[in-house]
Every structure is written in structure tokens, then in C-alpha cells.
Amino acid sequence: RSARAGVNDCFPLTPVFLLRLCSTMGQVESAIQDLESDLPPQLETFDLKGVAEKIKAGDCKRILVMTGAGVSVSAGIPDFRSPQSGLFAKIRARYPDDEMLSRRPECVFDLAYFQDVNEAPFYEVSQEIMSEGYKPTPTHHFIKLLDDKGLLVRCYTQNIDSLETAAGLSSEKVIAAHGNFDGARCLKTGKEVPIAEFKEAVRKGDAEGGWRDLNKKYGDLVKPDVVFYGEALPRRFFSSLGKDTAEADLLIVMGTALKVGPFNRLVGQVPFNCVRLLVNRDPAGLARPDNTDDDTMPLPQGFVFNDDKNVRDVFHQGDCDAGVWELARLLEYRPPSRLMRYLLV
């Protein structure tokens, strides 16, 4: 066949083909889980204490961290998916007449919507996210503490608030998978726009000197280095994850629903004997979701907390800050003086 032949020409996506494909993928997933279950238990107890004992024994020296919006909530930044207070709920309430945003509020971060439908909602949402008053949370400082102790391989974050570097982590130790507000450029020309100028224009909103005037000055829409739906993730994400996941012996995932790929696939790319800890309000990233009533899809090689075959996965339910400080207590870590006030609350 010619190189121009479409996918459907080469592999007809008939119902039978799709059923066979899904069946094959299910068999592969089952085989992988069987291999994992052949390993001895990687923890004495499947809780924070078990994880802490593993670290104190020197068995976890290469810790990989994944974070989502939940780690920044105590800084005052809303998460995305909380039914009442999340950013998506606020977008629905703010734009009740916008059918697309009412149905899919994540469209505010969709490149096609931003370019072709309405750019205003993104600039308005950016005002809230870019506030200079946000400070790193205890969770951010705990990640920095892991780095200070020489245990952190890398922190992969979905967040666009740059609070990891504000807590003192070097840019080398942070991969902002979905970008951030550290830079901006014109979509049409690619010309770099000073981020201070972009932020000032967004703060002024639709008034004189605001984002409309900024776009007019540069000849097209000006967009920060935030990764929108429809854009590729940063090249560094893909160039680093293979080595980082291969050498990890502990994966700590915090404050994320793990619904967005390819970020969520990191959970399944660490070695079979790598302990995996989720600190979150709700279970997430499950290989076999318990609730079939929502839109939760199985995550390949995802967590298997309540499975008889579980040899390495731990779920600590609750607030991220409380979870990491309990872990710090169990580890007998003495936090830096700037964090003592959090422990005394």
C-alpha cells in the first residue's frame, strides 16, 4: 500500500477488530499483573508506616514524585475537579451561556477553542492562577526536603503554578508536564513575549492596556507556555521519563485524579518492585476502577490497592499536607525551621 494509505485502509476498525484488540490488551494487562503478583510483598504493612520503614531501611533511595492540583489547594489555588470549589465548577458557573464550557469546562485549556472560539475565558482564568500571593505548601516543601536528603530523582507535575521551584527545587529536578507561566509567546509568529508584560496585561483584563491590546501589539494571540489540549507535551518530559522511571524504587503520587494522559501513564512505567504510594482525597489511577457509574477508565498497570495480588501499592486517603507530614513524622525527619509553623497548627 502507498504511504498515503489511511489507518482505516490498513486496519479496518470494524467492531470485531476492536473487540479482538480490547481482548488482546486485556490479556496483556492480566499477564503483567500475574508477573507482578509473583513478587514477594515489597512492604511489611501497606500504609504510610510501611513506606516509612522501607525508606528508613535504605531500600528507597531513588524517589520519583508525581503531583497534581491537590498539592496546591492549601496555597489558595483551586483544584480542577472538586464538584463545588474546583476550577471547572467555577468555569461552568461563570459562563452559563457558553454551551461548550458548560458541557466541557476543560475547553478553556483547549487550543482550538482558544484560537477559534473565544480566548477571553482563558485570560480571565489566568488572572486567578497567576496571583503573586500564592506560596508553596507544606507538600512542596516536603518534596524539597526529599531532594535535600539526596532521595529525589525528579518531580513530575501537572501544575502550572511553579510552586515547586518557589519552594527551592532546581528547574533540573522539576518537569512541568503541562507547562507553566514562566514564559509566553505569540502563537502566529512564535516571538517570545516578556512574561512580566504578559502577566501585567492579563491582570488589567479587558481594559485599556489589557490582553486585547497585548494581542494587537504582537499581531496575534499571546499564549503562556502552558500546554493546552491539542498541543504536545514538552520534549523534556519524554526524554527524561524513560531513565527516571527505570531507576525509581519509590513512586509518590499526590493530589491528582490521574485522568489525563500521557502524564498518568508514568504510574505503570516504574519497575514491578517499585513501591507506589498515592496520597489523595479519593482513589485514582486504578487498574480496575471500583465505581463503574462514572467516567473512570482503567489505567494500564495502574494501582491495585484492594487486590489480593497487591504487593507494592499504598493508598493514604486525605489531605496532601497532612499526609506528607505524617510521613515526615514516621521518618523522623526534622523539617527546616520555616516549616515548623505548619507542624504546630
Side-chain angles (χ1 to χ4, degrees), residues 189-218:
T189 65
K191 179 178 175 60
E192 189 170 334
V193 176
I195 191 60
E197 183 180 3
F198 171 83
K199 289 183 176 181
E200 181 63 23
V202 169
R203 286 193 192 95
K204 291 181 178 178
D206 204 6
E208 183 179 354
W211 54 265
R212 291 190 191 276
D213 288 340
L214 182 74
N215 291 341
K216 187 180 298 184
K217 174 182 176 179
Y218 286 95

Side-chain angles (χ1 to χ4, degrees), residues 86-235:
L87 190 60
F88 289 161
K90 291 183 177 182
I91 290 171
R92 283 195 179 98
R94 193 177 298 174
Y95 305 102
D97 298 327
D98 188 313
E99 184 179 345
M100 290 184 70
L101 290 182
S102 295
R103 186 161 37 90
R104 291 185 63 246
E106 58 267 30
C107 282
V108 76
F109 297 107
D110 186 280
L111 187 62
Y113 179 88
F114 179 68
Q115 287 184 297
D116 304 328
V117 180
N118 189 2
E119 71 274 25
F122 173 74
Y123 289 126
E124 292 172 17
V125 167
S126 296
Q127 287 180 321
E128 187 171 356
I129 299 175
M130 290 194 312
S131 171
E132 297 293 340
Y134 296 134
K135 303 297 181 184
T137 69
T139 302
H140 293 108
H141 288 300
F142 176 77
I143 299 169
K144 176 62 168 65
L145 193 57
L146 292 177
D147 188 45
D148 291 343
K149 293 182 175 296
L151 298 174
L152 183 70
V153 174
R154 203 97 59 192
C155 175
Y156 285 76
T157 182
Q158 292 175 289
N159 298 339
I160 57 179
D161 51 40
S162 298
L163 290 183
E164 299 82 13
T165 51
L169 279 177
S170 69
S171 57
E172 172 61 26
K173 283 299 178 86
V174 180
I175 292 184
H178 296 166
N180 51 39
F181 287 94
D182 291 354
R185 62 199 71 252
C186 174
L187 276 178
K188 184 177 182 179
T189 65
K191 179 178 175 60
E192 189 170 334
V193 176
I195 191 60
E197 183 180 3
F198 171 83
K199 289 183 176 181
E200 181 63 23
V202 169
R203 286 193 192 95
K204 291 181 178 178
D206 204 6
E208 183 179 354
W211 54 265
R212 291 190 191 276
D213 288 340
L214 182 74
N215 291 341
K216 187 180 298 184
K217 174 182 176 179
Y218 286 95
D220 197 42
L221 295 173
V222 175
K223 174 185 164 296
D225 293 340
V226 173
V227 177
F228 279 19
Y229 293 105
E231 291 187 299
L233 269 61
R235 190 173 301 172

Side-chain angles (χ1 to χ4, degrees), residues 64-71 79-82 88 156-159 177-178 229 233 237 245 251-270 276-289 294-305 313-316 320:
L64 194 64
V65 174
M66 297 171 61
T67 64
V71 304
D79 65 11
F80 286 92
R81 300 179 188 276
S82 291
F88 289 161
Y156 285 76
T157 182
Q158 292 175 289
N159 298 339
H178 296 166
Y229 293 105
L233 269 61
F237 173 87
T245 55
L251 173 69
I252 302 178
V253 184
M254 297 183 285
T256 171
L258 291 173
K259 288 182 177 288
V260 179
F263 181 86
N264 58 3
R265 296 302 181 98
L266 269 70
V267 171
Q269 294 189 23
V270 293
R276 305 188 298 187
L277 166 65
L278 173 67
V279 180
N280 206 40
R281 184 186 59 201
D282 299 303
L286 302 177
R288 289 182 292 277
D294 61 18
D295 60 352
T296 302
M297 296 292 291
L299 181 65
Q301 291 92 62
F303 293 113
V304 289
F305 302 118
D313 292 341
V314 175
F315 175 47
H316 180 80
C320 291

